[in-house]
Amino acid sequence: MTDLTQSAAEAPELKVLVAAPRGFCAGVDRAIRIVELAIERYGAPVYVRHEIVHNRYVVESLKAKGAIFVESLDQVPDGVPVVFSAHGVPKAVPAKAEARGLDYIDATCPLVSKVHKQAERANEQGRHIIFIGHAGHPEVIGTLGQLPDGAMTLVESVDDVAALSPADPDNLAFLTQTTLSVDDTRDIVAALQHRFPSIQGPRGEDICYATSNRQEAVKAIADQCDRVIVIGAPNSSNSLRLVEVAERLGTPAHLVQRGTDVDPAWLAGIATLGITAGASAPETLVREVIDAVAAHRAIVEDVVVTAEEHMTFKLPRGLEPAAA
């Protein structure tokens, strides 16, 4: 380690390209605020079903304020409020909460809720839905749970499309998880449209603006970098996609959760480092990672802006903060 540190100190300045947009999106910001306001309104503890967003730092910060995270409503005592995560939940979950008389607050991202409504409309039209997403992801579980079993079929790849054998191939619709790879999804949609020319898709893109913007920002810096660091959780779909985007452009990429995860060996012998953050990672972690890099190499920062984001979402009725 000493030899590595000494050689790093003698190395020329490391250029750090910081992608923008990066980090928190409007849906994540809203979900975190909902938990904080629920604690203010009801008092601690407030229960949260599943991680409110996929970021350990955020979850631990909310725990310190009085949030208790559980995976099932069965773990929520009677008489206390519960918040549903930004990823959305199957319809059976709020139904069960109502049956128990629990106060619940739905922090589902409005862009995920939009997909839920699209699924309901397609189902009402009698169309079988092909849903593009990653099996087991909370958003996928929540979306599939909006309709009766068998109303939707999940596909994860072009190969899955080839294996489809729908009962009525002329009466299909497709929808997508909001945090997918834009490029991968485009290929799967093209395969669906090739096999089923009459398939109906959503009027607009289901992949959310923040996911698309962050992937485009990585594309803008990756070919200028010797290596890319993505700040995000290993169970964060949109963060994992950022790693994949960089690596597809031929740039080695690493997913880290904190500054302590930065390996000094990644910084040896490189001239330019790219840094970005998934939609669930707060800016404080971006600064922490940059500081960790600066502890091993002298750096000069440059922010590369590819889009401006001004999206905001309303809070649920009754949770608006009191006027100052």
Side-chain angles (χ1 to χ4, degrees), residues 175-217:
L175 297 169
T176 79
Q177 182 180 335
T178 64
T179 54
L180 298 178
S181 159
V182 173
D183 296 333
D184 282 348
T185 305
R186 188 182 297 121
D187 292 343
I188 296 171
V189 169
L192 282 169
Q193 291 172 331
H194 178 73
R195 273 207 69 194
F196 311 108
S198 62
I199 194 169
Q200 286 195 359
R203 288 193 185 129
E205 183 76 65
D206 277 344
I207 296 176
C208 85
Y209 77 95
T211 296
S212 300
N213 285 350
R214 279 148 191 73
Q215 290 178 23
E216 288 302 313

Side-chain angles (χ1 to χ4, degrees), residues 270-282:
I270 68 170
T272 307
L273 175 71
I275 291 181
T276 189
S280 301

Side-chain angles (χ1 to χ4, degrees), residues 271-291:
T272 307
L273 175 71
I275 291 181
T276 189
S280 301
E283 185 64 15
T284 186
L285 295 184
V286 177
R287 298 314 314 172
E288 182 181 285
V289 167
I290 292 172
D291 289 345

Side-chain angles (χ1 to χ4, degrees), residues 272-320:
T272 307
L273 175 71
I275 291 181
T276 189
S280 301
E283 185 64 15
T284 186
L285 295 184
V286 177
R287 298 314 314 172
E288 182 181 285
V289 167
I290 292 172
D291 289 345
V293 171
H296 300 288
R297 289 278 300 270
I299 67 169
V300 55
E301 283 183 57
D302 187 12
V303 177
V304 179
V305 181
T306 55
E308 299 281 350
E309 293 181 347
H310 305 288
M311 182 78 73
T312 57
F313 294 130
K314 290 181 180 178
L315 292 164
R317 191 173 301 166
L319 267 194
E320 298 87 352

Side-chain angles (χ1 to χ4, degrees), residues 89-285:
V89 295
K91 277 191 172 179
V93 174
K96 184 174 181 178
E98 288 171 5
R100 287 186 52 194
L102 295 176
D103 284 334
Y104 68 85
I105 305 160
D106 190 354
T108 301
C109 173
L111 297 180
V112 174
S113 295
K114 182 188 78 169
V115 177
H116 292 177
K117 291 182 177 69
Q118 290 169 338
E120 290 175 345
R121 281 198 297 270
N123 183 249
E124 287 166 2
Q125 294 167 0
R127 293 183 178 274
H128 184 79
I129 299 163
I130 309 300
F131 188 65
I132 305 168
H134 295 298
H137 189 277
E139 182 185 332
V140 172
I141 294 169
T143 302
L144 295 178
Q146 298 305 302
L147 299 179
D149 288 348
M152 303 177 76
T153 298
L154 179 67
V155 298
E156 299 186 79
S157 66
V158 170
D159 289 343
D160 288 346
V161 173
L164 287 172
S165 55
D168 187 356
D170 295 323
N171 203 23
L172 301 175
F174 74 85
L175 297 169
T176 79
Q177 182 180 335
T178 64
T179 54
L180 298 178
S181 159
V182 173
D183 296 333
D184 282 348
T185 305
R186 188 182 297 121
D187 292 343
I188 296 171
V189 169
L192 282 169
Q193 291 172 331
H194 178 73
R195 273 207 69 194
F196 311 108
S198 62
I199 194 169
Q200 286 195 359
R203 288 193 185 129
E205 183 76 65
D206 277 344
I207 296 176
C208 85
Y209 77 95
T211 296
S212 300
N213 285 350
R214 279 148 191 73
Q215 290 178 23
E216 288 302 313
V218 168
K219 289 178 181 178
I221 66 171
D223 62 357
Q224 305 174 58
C225 297
D226 301 301
R227 196 174 297 274
V228 169
I229 291 176
V230 177
I231 302 153
N235 59 340
S236 165
S237 177
N238 75 86
S239 299
L240 293 171
R241 303 294 81 78
L242 296 178
V243 172
E244 292 173 359
V245 166
E247 291 184 335
R248 283 184 179 175
L249 293 171
T251 306
H254 306 279
L255 184 70
V256 303
Q257 297 193 72
R258 302 293 302 264
T260 50
D261 297 332
V262 174
D263 186 343
W266 299 341
L267 312 177
I270 68 170
T272 307
L273 175 71
I275 291 181
T276 189
S280 301
E283 185 64 15
T284 186
L285 295 184

